[in-house]
Amino acid sequence: MHLQKVTQLKAILDVLQLAEKLKFELRHSWLSNGRQESVAEHTWRMSLMAVLLEPLLEHPVDMVKLLKMIIIHDLVEAEAGDVSVLDQIRNPEIKKIKIENEKRAILKIRDMLSTSIGQEVYDLFYEFEEKQTYEAKVANAIDKLEVQLQHNHAELTTWEDIEYELSFVIAKHVEFDETITLLKDLIEKQAADKMEQAGRNVDEIRKRSETLFK
């Protein structure tokens, strides 16, 4: 039993070494101090959002599963790297490559943890991706909302043109829960206020968003 546990712990250390890359794997998002955000920082604030939102959600949620799912959902990026959603919009082939790279990555992680919780990690990754359970829907909604919230915190000079329109496309990801919808409205208003203060025509941006992302 002792030797089995040591073997499991060594495998965990290997995955933690891999996961350390998420501390310096940079995302497209920028922070309010002008530094680019890491994947690990995005995951951390998603986890905090889940903890803070849990008492207000419309339905009971398996909090352990939700937090596990959030922590695991971007773990594959330690192996496959982060791919900006903007690049995926510009080139659909990039999205196909991303999916294949992440498939290989989660299989590798499952195999690395085969003596302990490898299958659970694998199953939670795909539960998040498939967005069928309540926990997966909440996790995915938080994922989208945290991204927009971070954009709101960053200087507009870091935004690409398409990110103005992307500020108004989150509704379809949150409509399953009133609390998360209300949070979306607040975050969306933050973005709109930021644009207006910079002299942008928000009504025109919303209309373009509806045309571009039907």
Side-chain angles (χ1 to χ4, degrees):
M1 186 64 178
H2 175 77
L3 288 175
Q4 181 184 6
K5 186 170 285 189
V6 169
T7 299
Q8 292 172 328
L9 291 172
K10 285 181 177 178
I12 289 170
L13 287 175
D14 289 340
V15 171
L16 290 174
Q17 182 173 352
L18 177 65
E20 191 254 350
K21 292 181 180 179
L22 297 180
K23 293 185 177 184
F24 55 81
E25 178 68 31
L26 299 180
R27 293 168 54 81
H28 174 71
S29 300
W30 293 77
L31 305 180
S32 59
N33 68 352
R35 177 174 65 79
Q36 250 180 302
E37 175 191 40
S38 73
V39 176
E41 290 166 327
H42 164 65
T43 300
W44 166 77
R45 194 159 69 159
M46 278 183 64
S47 301
L48 179 60
M49 287 174 71
V51 170
L52 298 178
L53 288 172
E54 186 264 338
L56 304 177
L57 294 174
E58 293 301 295
H59 304 286
V61 64
D62 184 335
M63 199 61 190
V64 172
K65 175 186 272 195
L66 176 59
L67 286 173
K68 283 183 178 181
M69 204 178 295
I70 288 171
I71 291 167
I72 287 165
H73 85 286
D74 274 342
L75 181 57
V76 292
E77 293 183 7
E79 179 72 18
D82 179 71
V83 180
S84 167
V85 67
L86 304 183
D87 290 336
Q88 295 176 59
I89 291 171
R90 285 188 282 258
N91 184 354
E93 289 301 312
I94 289 178
K95 184 173 184 178
K96 294 178 184 178
I97 295 169
K98 172 183 181 289
I99 290 170
E100 289 305 313
N101 287 343
E102 290 185 351
K103 281 182 181 178
R104 286 192 289 272
I106 195 62
L107 283 169
K108 176 179 177 178
I109 293 167
R110 183 184 68 179
D111 292 345
M112 290 174 73
L113 294 168
S114 61
T115 59
S116 54
I117 63 166
Q119 189 61 46
E120 181 184 4
V121 169
Y122 180 89
D123 291 342
L124 284 167
F125 173 80
Y126 277 108
E127 184 174 340
F128 176 89
E129 290 293 307
E130 291 163 5
K131 307 178 184 69
Q132 296 301 307
T133 64
Y134 184 64
E135 286 75 17
K137 290 177 181 178
V138 172
N140 273 276
I142 288 174
D143 189 19
K144 303 295 187 299
L145 292 170
E146 200 285 328
V147 170
Q148 185 58 50
L149 185 61
Q150 188 57 57
H151 283 321
N152 293 351
H153 296 329
E155 293 291 334
L156 277 180
T157 54
T158 67
W159 289 32
E160 292 193 29
D161 289 343
I162 197 172
E163 289 181 286
Y164 290 89
E165 286 78 22
L166 284 172
S167 299
F168 303 111
V169 301
I170 307 176
K172 62 185 178 182
H173 301 288
V174 303
E175 55 193 11
F176 66 94
D177 187 281
E178 182 184 36
T179 296
I180 296 179
T181 298
L182 290 171
L183 179 62
K184 183 272 297 181
D185 292 343
L186 291 171
I187 291 173
E188 196 174 271
K189 186 177 185 304
Q190 277 189 355
D193 290 346
K194 191 179 187 76
M195 294 177 205
E196 285 182 350
Q197 289 168 11
R200 299 277 180 156
N201 189 319
V202 174
D203 288 337
E204 286 186 4
I205 293 170
R206 285 183 186 273
K207 288 176 183 176
R208 288 200 302 272
S209 176
E210 292 170 2
T211 301
L212 289 170
F213 304 103
K214 291 181 179 179

